[in-house]
PDB file of all heavy atoms in Angstrom:
ATOM      1  N   LYS A  29      -8.918   2.257  13.347  1.00 82.00           N
ATOM      2  CA  LYS A  29     -10.335   2.201  12.907  1.00 82.00           C
ATOM      3  C   LYS A  29     -10.462   3.231  11.758  1.00 82.00           C
ATOM      4  O   LYS A  29      -9.944   4.405  11.859  1.00 82.00           O
ATOM      5  CB  LYS A  29     -11.212   2.593  14.053  1.00 82.00           C
ATOM      6  CG  LYS A  29     -11.482   1.487  15.021  1.00 82.00           C
ATOM      7  CD  LYS A  29     -12.485   1.980  16.041  1.00 82.00           C
ATOM      8  CE  LYS A  29     -13.247   0.805  16.625  1.00 82.00           C
ATOM      9  NZ  LYS A  29     -14.223   1.296  17.595  1.00 82.00           N
ATOM     10  N   PHE A  30     -11.208   2.837  10.792  1.00 85.00           N
ATOM     11  CA  PHE A  30     -11.560   3.728   9.702  1.00 85.00           C
ATOM     12  C   PHE A  30     -13.034   3.770   9.547  1.00 85.00           C
ATOM     13  O   PHE A  30     -13.731   2.768   9.711  1.00 85.00           O
ATOM     14  CB  PHE A  30     -10.862   3.275   8.397  1.00 85.00           C
ATOM     15  CG  PHE A  30      -9.390   3.319   8.415  1.00 85.00           C
ATOM     16  CD1 PHE A  30      -8.664   2.172   8.661  1.00 85.00           C
ATOM     17  CD2 PHE A  30      -8.716   4.528   8.252  1.00 85.00           C
ATOM     18  CE1 PHE A  30      -7.234   2.232   8.718  1.00 85.00           C
ATOM     19  CE2 PHE A  30      -7.331   4.590   8.307  1.00 85.00           C
ATOM     20  CZ  PHE A  30      -6.595   3.463   8.526  1.00 85.00           C
ATOM     21  N   GLU A  31     -13.571   4.914   9.242  1.00 90.00           N
ATOM     22  CA  GLU A  31     -14.997   5.037   9.039  1.00 90.00           C
ATOM     23  C   GLU A  31     -15.538   4.375   7.842  1.00 90.00           C
ATOM     24  O   GLU A  31     -16.703   3.866   7.786  1.00 90.00           O
ATOM     25  CB  GLU A  31     -15.352   6.540   8.932  1.00 90.00           C
ATOM     26  CG  GLU A  31     -14.961   7.356  10.232  1.00 90.00           C
ATOM     27  CD  GLU A  31     -15.933   7.006  11.364  1.00 90.00           C
ATOM     28  OE1 GLU A  31     -17.106   6.775  11.141  1.00 90.00           O
ATOM     29  OE2 GLU A  31     -15.364   7.001  12.443  1.00 90.00           O
ATOM     30  N   SER A  32     -14.763   4.360   6.757  1.00 92.00           N
ATOM     31  CA  SER A  32     -15.243   3.752   5.526  1.00 92.00           C
ATOM     32  C   SER A  32     -14.013   3.144   4.759  1.00 92.00           C
ATOM     33  O   SER A  32     -12.831   3.358   5.151  1.00 92.00           O
ATOM     34  CB  SER A  32     -15.928   4.747   4.629  1.00 92.00           C
ATOM     35  OG  SER A  32     -15.004   5.720   4.167  1.00 92.00           O
ATOM     36  N   MET A  33     -14.300   2.421   3.730  1.00 92.00           N
ATOM     37  CA  MET A  33     -13.215   1.872   2.877  1.00 92.00           C
ATOM     38  C   MET A  33     -12.457   2.988   2.224  1.00 92.00           C
ATOM     39  O   MET A  33     -11.211   2.869   2.039  1.00 92.00           O
ATOM     40  CB  MET A  33     -13.845   0.928   1.805  1.00 92.00           C
ATOM     41  CG  MET A  33     -12.860   0.137   1.057  1.00 92.00           C
ATOM     42  SD  MET A  33     -12.012  -0.928   2.168  1.00 92.00           S
ATOM     43  CE  MET A  33     -11.224  -2.013   1.054  1.00 92.00           C
ATOM     44  N   ALA A  34     -13.122   4.068   1.837  1.00 93.00           N
ATOM     45  CA  ALA A  34     -12.415   5.250   1.268  1.00 93.00           C
ATOM     46  C   ALA A  34     -11.419   5.830   2.227  1.00 93.00           C
ATOM     47  O   ALA A  34     -10.310   6.173   1.847  1.00 93.00           O
ATOM     48  CB  ALA A  34     -13.403   6.255   0.811  1.00 93.00           C
ATOM     49  N   ASP A  35     -11.796   5.888   3.471  1.00 92.00           N
ATOM     50  CA  ASP A  35     -10.869   6.380   4.500  1.00 92.00           C
ATOM     51  C   ASP A  35      -9.683   5.461   4.676  1.00 92.00           C
ATOM     52  O   ASP A  35      -8.545   5.858   4.879  1.00 92.00           O
ATOM     53  CB  ASP A  35     -11.540   6.513   5.866  1.00 92.00           C
ATOM     54  CG  ASP A  35     -12.507   7.648   5.972  1.00 92.00           C
ATOM     55  OD1 ASP A  35     -12.369   8.681   5.108  1.00 92.00           O
ATOM     56  OD2 ASP A  35     -13.365   7.720   6.845  1.00 92.00           O
ATOM     57  N   PHE A  36      -9.904   4.172   4.614  1.00 91.00           N
ATOM     58  CA  PHE A  36      -8.850   3.193   4.643  1.00 91.00           C
ATOM     59  C   PHE A  36      -7.854   3.349   3.541  1.00 91.00           C
ATOM     60  O   PHE A  36      -6.626   3.398   3.703  1.00 91.00           O
ATOM     61  CB  PHE A  36      -9.412   1.755   4.707  1.00 91.00           C
ATOM     62  CG  PHE A  36      -8.371   0.700   4.621  1.00 91.00           C
ATOM     63  CD1 PHE A  36      -7.569   0.440   5.723  1.00 91.00           C
ATOM     64  CD2 PHE A  36      -8.179  -0.061   3.455  1.00 91.00           C
ATOM     65  CE1 PHE A  36      -6.587  -0.541   5.653  1.00 91.00           C
ATOM     66  CE2 PHE A  36      -7.256  -1.024   3.401  1.00 91.00           C
ATOM     67  CZ  PHE A  36      -6.396  -1.285   4.522  1.00 91.00           C
ATOM     68  N   ILE A  37      -8.413   3.526   2.297  1.00 91.00           N
ATOM     69  CA  ILE A  37      -7.521   3.677   1.170  1.00 91.00           C
ATOM     70  C   ILE A  37      -6.781   5.038   1.209  1.00 91.00           C
ATOM     71  O   ILE A  37      -5.633   5.115   0.838  1.00 91.00           O
ATOM     72  CB  ILE A  37      -8.356   3.555  -0.132  1.00 91.00           C
ATOM     73  CG1 ILE A  37      -8.859   2.111  -0.267  1.00 91.00           C
ATOM     74  CG2 ILE A  37      -7.596   3.969  -1.390  1.00 91.00           C
ATOM     75  CD1 ILE A  37      -9.842   1.880  -1.372  1.00 91.00           C
ATOM     76  N   GLU A  38      -7.406   6.045   1.723  1.00 92.00           N
ATOM     77  CA  GLU A  38      -6.857   7.372   1.803  1.00 92.00           C
ATOM     78  C   GLU A  38      -5.815   7.477   2.878  1.00 92.00           C
ATOM     79  O   GLU A  38      -4.758   8.235   2.763  1.00 92.00           O
ATOM     80  CB  GLU A  38      -7.932   8.425   2.037  1.00 92.00           C
ATOM     81  CG  GLU A  38      -7.427   9.842   1.921  1.00 92.00           C
ATOM     82  CD  GLU A  38      -8.550  10.796   2.128  1.00 92.00           C
ATOM     83  OE1 GLU A  38      -9.522  10.803   1.377  1.00 92.00           O
ATOM     84  OE2 GLU A  38      -8.432  11.584   3.088  1.00 92.00           O
ATOM     85  N   MET A  39      -5.929   6.669   3.922  1.00 91.00           N
ATOM     86  CA  MET A  39      -4.944   6.590   5.042  1.00 91.00           C
ATOM     87  C   MET A  39      -4.663   7.991   5.636  1.00 91.00           C
ATOM     88  O   MET A  39      -3.505   8.277   5.864  1.00 91.00           O
ATOM     89  CB  MET A  39      -3.621   5.951   4.606  1.00 91.00           C
ATOM     90  CG  MET A  39      -3.774   4.505   4.245  1.00 91.00           C
ATOM     91  SD  MET A  39      -3.631   3.510   5.715  1.00 91.00           S
ATOM     92  CE  MET A  39      -3.875   1.921   5.061  1.00 91.00           C
ATOM     93  N   GLY A  40      -5.649   8.719   5.834  1.00 88.00           N
ATOM     94  CA  GLY A  40      -5.447  10.059   6.484  1.00 88.00           C
ATOM     95  C   GLY A  40      -4.612  11.012   5.631  1.00 88.00           C
ATOM     96  O   GLY A  40      -3.869  11.829   6.139  1.00 88.00           O
ATOM     97  N   GLY A  41      -4.789  10.920   4.311  1.00 92.00           N
ATOM     98  CA  GLY A  41      -4.018  11.789   3.425  1.00 92.00           C
ATOM     99  C   GLY A  41      -2.697  11.244   2.977  1.00 92.00           C
ATOM    100  O   GLY A  41      -1.989  11.829   2.134  1.00 92.00           O
ATOM    101  N   HIS A  42      -2.317  10.098   3.526  1.00 94.00           N
ATOM    102  CA  HIS A  42      -0.999   9.469   3.138  1.00 94.00           C
ATOM    103  C   HIS A  42      -1.131   8.237   2.307  1.00 94.00           C
ATOM    104  O   HIS A  42      -0.206   7.539   2.145  1.00 94.00           O
ATOM    105  CB  HIS A  42      -0.232   9.099   4.452  1.00 94.00           C
ATOM    106  CG  HIS A  42       0.057  10.269   5.380  1.00 94.00           C
ATOM    107  ND1 HIS A  42       0.928  11.259   5.056  1.00 94.00           N
ATOM    108  CD2 HIS A  42      -0.576  10.670   6.537  1.00 94.00           C
ATOM    109  CE1 HIS A  42       0.946  12.185   6.031  1.00 94.00           C
ATOM    110  NE2 HIS A  42       0.022  11.820   6.934  1.00 94.00           N
ATOM    111  N   GLY A  43      -2.338   8.014   1.810  1.00 94.00           N
ATOM    112  CA  GLY A  43      -2.595   6.773   1.068  1.00 94.00           C
ATOM    113  C   GLY A  43      -1.692   6.593  -0.101  1.00 94.00           C
ATOM    114  O   GLY A  43      -1.244   5.439  -0.362  1.00 94.00           O
ATOM    115  N   LEU A  44      -1.378   7.657  -0.877  1.00 94.00           N
ATOM    116  CA  LEU A  44      -0.552   7.482  -2.046  1.00 94.00           C
ATOM    117  C   LEU A  44       0.833   6.931  -1.665  1.00 94.00           C
ATOM    118  O   LEU A  44       1.283   5.952  -2.266  1.00 94.00           O
ATOM    119  CB  LEU A  44      -0.364   8.839  -2.755  1.00 94.00           C
ATOM    120  CG  LEU A  44       0.616   8.803  -3.944  1.00 94.00           C
ATOM    121  CD1 LEU A  44       0.119   7.985  -5.058  1.00 94.00           C
ATOM    122  CD2 LEU A  44       0.892  10.231  -4.345  1.00 94.00           C
ATOM    123  N   TYR A  45       1.372   7.428  -0.605  1.00 96.00           N
ATOM    124  CA  TYR A  45       2.712   7.011  -0.208  1.00 96.00           C
ATOM    125  C   TYR A  45       2.669   5.581   0.403  1.00 96.00           C
ATOM    126  O   TYR A  45       3.572   4.778   0.171  1.00 96.00           O
ATOM    127  CB  TYR A  45       3.301   7.993   0.805  1.00 96.00           C
ATOM    128  CG  TYR A  45       3.308   9.438   0.254  1.00 96.00           C
ATOM    129  CD1 TYR A  45       2.461  10.356   0.820  1.00 96.00           C
ATOM    130  CD2 TYR A  45       4.092   9.752  -0.786  1.00 96.00           C
ATOM    131  CE1 TYR A  45       2.390  11.593   0.257  1.00 96.00           C
ATOM    132  CE2 TYR A  45       4.099  11.064  -1.339  1.00 96.00           C
ATOM    133  CZ  TYR A  45       3.212  11.972  -0.799  1.00 96.00           C
ATOM    134  OH  TYR A  45       3.187  13.264  -1.293  1.00 96.00           O
ATOM    135  N   VAL A  46       1.657   5.336   1.207  1.00 95.00           N
ATOM    136  CA  VAL A  46       1.537   4.029   1.813  1.00 95.00           C
ATOM    137  C   VAL A  46       1.327   2.966   0.828  1.00 95.00           C
ATOM    138  O   VAL A  46       2.046   1.954   0.773  1.00 95.00           O
ATOM    139  CB  VAL A  46       0.324   4.010   2.841  1.00 95.00           C
ATOM    140  CG1 VAL A  46       0.029   2.609   3.325  1.00 95.00           C
ATOM    141  CG2 VAL A  46       0.622   4.933   3.995  1.00 95.00           C
ATOM    142  N   TRP A  47       0.410   3.113  -0.196  1.00 96.00           N
ATOM    143  CA  TRP A  47       0.093   2.103  -1.136  1.00 96.00           C
ATOM    144  C   TRP A  47       1.273   2.000  -2.146  1.00 96.00           C
ATOM    145  O   TRP A  47       1.489   0.908  -2.653  1.00 96.00           O
ATOM    146  CB  TRP A  47      -1.217   2.317  -1.813  1.00 96.00           C
ATOM    147  CG  TRP A  47      -2.336   2.195  -0.826  1.00 96.00           C
ATOM    148  CD1 TRP A  47      -3.185   3.233  -0.375  1.00 96.00           C
ATOM    149  CD2 TRP A  47      -2.711   1.070  -0.059  1.00 96.00           C
ATOM    150  NE1 TRP A  47      -4.055   2.765   0.551  1.00 96.00           N
ATOM    151  CE2 TRP A  47      -3.811   1.422   0.788  1.00 96.00           C
ATOM    152  CE3 TRP A  47      -2.267  -0.225  -0.054  1.00 96.00           C
ATOM    153  CZ2 TRP A  47      -4.386   0.490   1.615  1.00 96.00           C
ATOM    154  CZ3 TRP A  47      -2.884  -1.143   0.846  1.00 96.00           C
ATOM    155  CH2 TRP A  47      -3.870  -0.781   1.676  1.00 96.00           C
ATOM    156  N   LEU A  48       1.926   3.115  -2.444  1.00 97.00           N
ATOM    157  CA  LEU A  48       3.083   3.024  -3.302  1.00 97.00           C
ATOM    158  C   LEU A  48       4.242   2.221  -2.646  1.00 97.00           C
ATOM    159  O   LEU A  48       4.847   1.363  -3.332  1.00 97.00           O
ATOM    160  CB  LEU A  48       3.633   4.476  -3.632  1.00 97.00           C
ATOM    161  CG  LEU A  48       4.715   4.589  -4.665  1.00 97.00           C
ATOM    162  CD1 LEU A  48       4.259   4.042  -5.965  1.00 97.00           C
ATOM    163  CD2 LEU A  48       5.053   6.021  -4.770  1.00 97.00           C
ATOM    164  N   ALA A  49       4.428   2.388  -1.390  1.00 97.00           N
ATOM    165  CA  ALA A  49       5.415   1.648  -0.671  1.00 97.00           C
ATOM    166  C   ALA A  49       5.051   0.118  -0.640  1.00 97.00           C
ATOM    167  O   ALA A  49       5.940  -0.731  -0.842  1.00 97.00           O
ATOM    168  CB  ALA A  49       5.546   2.132   0.768  1.00 97.00           C
ATOM    169  N   TYR A  50       3.761  -0.178  -0.408  1.00 97.00           N
ATOM    170  CA  TYR A  50       3.340  -1.566  -0.478  1.00 97.00           C
ATOM    171  C   TYR A  50       3.532  -2.153  -1.846  1.00 97.00           C
ATOM    172  O   TYR A  50       3.931  -3.285  -2.015  1.00 97.00           O
ATOM    173  CB  TYR A  50       1.844  -1.694  -0.054  1.00 97.00           C
ATOM    174  CG  TYR A  50       1.638  -1.875   1.393  1.00 97.00           C
ATOM    175  CD1 TYR A  50       0.952  -0.862   2.128  1.00 97.00           C
ATOM    176  CD2 TYR A  50       2.180  -2.895   2.126  1.00 97.00           C
ATOM    177  CE1 TYR A  50       0.728  -0.942   3.472  1.00 97.00           C
ATOM    178  CE2 TYR A  50       1.921  -3.039   3.499  1.00 97.00           C
ATOM    179  CZ  TYR A  50       1.229  -2.052   4.144  1.00 97.00           C
ATOM    180  OH  TYR A  50       1.027  -2.159   5.469  1.00 97.00           O
ATOM    181  N   GLY A  51       3.226  -1.373  -2.919  1.00 97.00           N
ATOM    182  CA  GLY A  51       3.395  -1.848  -4.293  1.00 97.00           C
ATOM    183  C   GLY A  51       4.818  -2.102  -4.624  1.00 97.00           C
ATOM    184  O   GLY A  51       5.134  -3.111  -5.267  1.00 97.00           O
ATOM    185  N   ILE A  52       5.728  -1.206  -4.201  1.00 98.00           N
ATOM    186  CA  ILE A  52       7.137  -1.393  -4.512  1.00 98.00           C
ATOM    187  C   ILE A  52       7.725  -2.619  -3.792  1.00 98.00           C
ATOM    188  O   ILE A  52       8.405  -3.453  -4.363  1.00 98.00           O
ATOM    189  CB  ILE A  52       7.935  -0.159  -4.148  1.00 98.00           C
ATOM    190  CG1 ILE A  52       7.581   0.990  -5.134  1.00 98.00           C
ATOM    191  CG2 ILE A  52       9.392  -0.417  -4.146  1.00 98.00           C
ATOM    192  CD1 ILE A  52       8.098   2.338  -4.735  1.00 98.00           C
ATOM    193  N   ALA A  53       7.241  -2.751  -2.494  1.00 98.00           N
ATOM    194  CA  ALA A  53       7.729  -3.926  -1.778  1.00 98.00           C
ATOM    195  C   ALA A  53       7.201  -5.231  -2.360  1.00 98.00           C
ATOM    196  O   ALA A  53       8.001  -6.219  -2.485  1.00 98.00           O
ATOM    197  CB  ALA A  53       7.233  -3.814  -0.330  1.00 98.00           C
ATOM    198  N   LEU A  54       5.956  -5.229  -2.850  1.00 98.00           N
ATOM    199  CA  LEU A  54       5.419  -6.422  -3.423  1.00 98.00           C
ATOM    200  C   LEU A  54       6.107  -6.779  -4.721  1.00 98.00           C
ATOM    201  O   LEU A  54       6.451  -7.907  -5.032  1.00 98.00           O
ATOM    202  CB  LEU A  54       3.934  -6.231  -3.677  1.00 98.00           C
ATOM    203  CG  LEU A  54       3.186  -7.407  -4.411  1.00 98.00           C
ATOM    204  CD1 LEU A  54       3.254  -8.656  -3.503  1.00 98.00           C
ATOM    205  CD2 LEU A  54       1.791  -7.051  -4.729  1.00 98.00           C
ATOM    206  N   ALA A  55       6.433  -5.740  -5.533  1.00 98.00           N
ATOM    207  CA  ALA A  55       7.161  -5.906  -6.779  1.00 98.00           C
ATOM    208  C   ALA A  55       8.548  -6.562  -6.512  1.00 98.00           C
ATOM    209  O   ALA A  55       9.019  -7.459  -7.204  1.00 98.00           O
ATOM    210  CB  ALA A  55       7.331  -4.594  -7.528  1.00 98.00           C
ATOM    211  N   ILE A  56       9.240  -6.094  -5.427  1.00 98.00           N
ATOM    212  CA  ILE A  56      10.576  -6.597  -5.141  1.00 98.00           C
ATOM    213  C   ILE A  56      10.489  -8.087  -4.714  1.00 98.00           C
ATOM    214  O   ILE A  56      11.252  -8.913  -5.090  1.00 98.00           O
ATOM    215  CB  ILE A  56      11.197  -5.750  -4.029  1.00 98.00           C
ATOM    216  CG1 ILE A  56      11.582  -4.399  -4.621  1.00 98.00           C
ATOM    217  CG2 ILE A  56      12.440  -6.434  -3.453  1.00 98.00           C
ATOM    218  CD1 ILE A  56      12.059  -3.361  -3.622  1.00 98.00           C
ATOM    219  N   VAL A  57       9.455  -8.407  -3.874  1.00 98.00           N
ATOM    220  CA  VAL A  57       9.274  -9.758  -3.440  1.00 98.00           C
ATOM    221  C   VAL A  57       8.951 -10.643  -4.591  1.00 98.00           C
ATOM    222  O   VAL A  57       9.583 -11.758  -4.775  1.00 98.00           O
ATOM    223  CB  VAL A  57       8.114  -9.890  -2.398  1.00 98.00           C
ATOM    224  CG1 VAL A  57       7.750 -11.298  -2.141  1.00 98.00           C
ATOM    225  CG2 VAL A  57       8.556  -9.227  -1.100  1.00 98.00           C
ATOM    226  N   VAL A  58       8.113 -10.211  -5.555  1.00 98.00           N
ATOM    227  CA  VAL A  58       7.770 -11.012  -6.755  1.00 98.00           C
ATOM    228  C   VAL A  58       9.081 -11.255  -7.570  1.00 98.00           C
ATOM    229  O   VAL A  58       9.328 -12.355  -8.034  1.00 98.00           O
ATOM    230  CB  VAL A  58       6.653 -10.385  -7.550  1.00 98.00           C
ATOM    231  CG1 VAL A  58       6.521 -11.027  -8.912  1.00 98.00           C
ATOM    232  CG2 VAL A  58       5.390 -10.453  -6.784  1.00 98.00           C
ATOM    233  N   LEU A  59       9.834 -10.191  -7.818  1.00 98.00           N
ATOM    234  CA  LEU A  59      11.085 -10.366  -8.600  1.00 98.00           C
ATOM    235  C   LEU A  59      12.037 -11.276  -7.876  1.00 98.00           C
ATOM    236  O   LEU A  59      12.727 -12.046  -8.582  1.00 98.00           O
ATOM    237  CB  LEU A  59      11.752  -8.964  -8.767  1.00 98.00           C
ATOM    238  CG  LEU A  59      11.044  -8.041  -9.816  1.00 98.00           C
ATOM    239  CD1 LEU A  59      11.711  -6.690  -9.798  1.00 98.00           C
ATOM    240  CD2 LEU A  59      11.144  -8.646 -11.199  1.00 98.00           C
ATOM    241  N   ASN A  60      12.107 -11.243  -6.560  1.00 98.00           N
ATOM    242  CA  ASN A  60      12.999 -12.109  -5.814  1.00 98.00           C
ATOM    243  C   ASN A  60      12.562 -13.569  -5.912  1.00 98.00           C
ATOM    244  O   ASN A  60      13.331 -14.469  -5.761  1.00 98.00           O
ATOM    245  CB  ASN A  60      13.120 -11.743  -4.334  1.00 98.00           C
ATOM    246  CG  ASN A  60      14.061 -10.548  -4.141  1.00 98.00           C
ATOM    247  OD1 ASN A  60      15.008 -10.431  -4.881  1.00 98.00           O
ATOM    248  ND2 ASN A  60      13.763  -9.784  -3.091  1.00 98.00           N
ATOM    249  N   LEU A  61      11.294 -13.788  -6.243  1.00 97.00           N
ATOM    250  CA  LEU A  61      10.792 -15.176  -6.382  1.00 97.00           C
ATOM    251  C   LEU A  61      10.973 -15.671  -7.868  1.00 97.00           C
ATOM    252  O   LEU A  61      11.290 -16.794  -8.103  1.00 97.00           O
ATOM    253  CB  LEU A  61       9.315 -15.271  -5.978  1.00 97.00           C
ATOM    254  CG  LEU A  61       9.093 -15.113  -4.512  1.00 97.00           C
ATOM    255  CD1 LEU A  61       7.579 -15.074  -4.225  1.00 97.00           C
ATOM    256  CD2 LEU A  61       9.712 -16.215  -3.680  1.00 97.00           C
ATOM    257  N   VAL A  62      10.711 -14.767  -8.786  1.00 98.00           N
ATOM    258  CA  VAL A  62      10.645 -15.127 -10.217  1.00 98.00           C
ATOM    259  C   VAL A  62      12.029 -15.216 -10.818  1.00 98.00           C
ATOM    260  O   VAL A  62      12.327 -16.128 -11.597  1.00 98.00           O
ATOM    261  CB  VAL A  62       9.806 -14.111 -11.006  1.00 98.00           C
ATOM    262  CG1 VAL A  62       9.909 -14.295 -12.462  1.00 98.00           C
ATOM    263  CG2 VAL A  62       8.326 -14.214 -10.542  1.00 98.00           C
ATOM    264  N   GLN A  63      12.936 -14.310 -10.462  1.00 98.00           N
ATOM    265  CA  GLN A  63      14.243 -14.220 -11.113  1.00 98.00           C
ATOM    266  C   GLN A  63      15.042 -15.542 -10.989  1.00 98.00           C
ATOM    267  O   GLN A  63      15.617 -16.051 -11.923  1.00 98.00           O
ATOM    268  CB  GLN A  63      15.020 -13.033 -10.629  1.00 98.00           C
ATOM    269  CG  GLN A  63      16.277 -12.780 -11.348  1.00 98.00           C
ATOM    270  CD  GLN A  63      16.121 -12.470 -12.821  1.00 98.00           C
ATOM    271  OE1 GLN A  63      15.058 -11.934 -13.208  1.00 98.00           O
ATOM    272  NE2 GLN A  63      17.099 -12.656 -13.612  1.00 98.00           N
TER     273      GLN A  63
END
């Protein structure tokens, strides 16, 4: 549970690492489809 959307994005102070990991994973999946 998160109090607000900002808390969700922040992920308890780990948001940068969480969203970066999601971004890298998404980029790899897209490359695996496009290449």
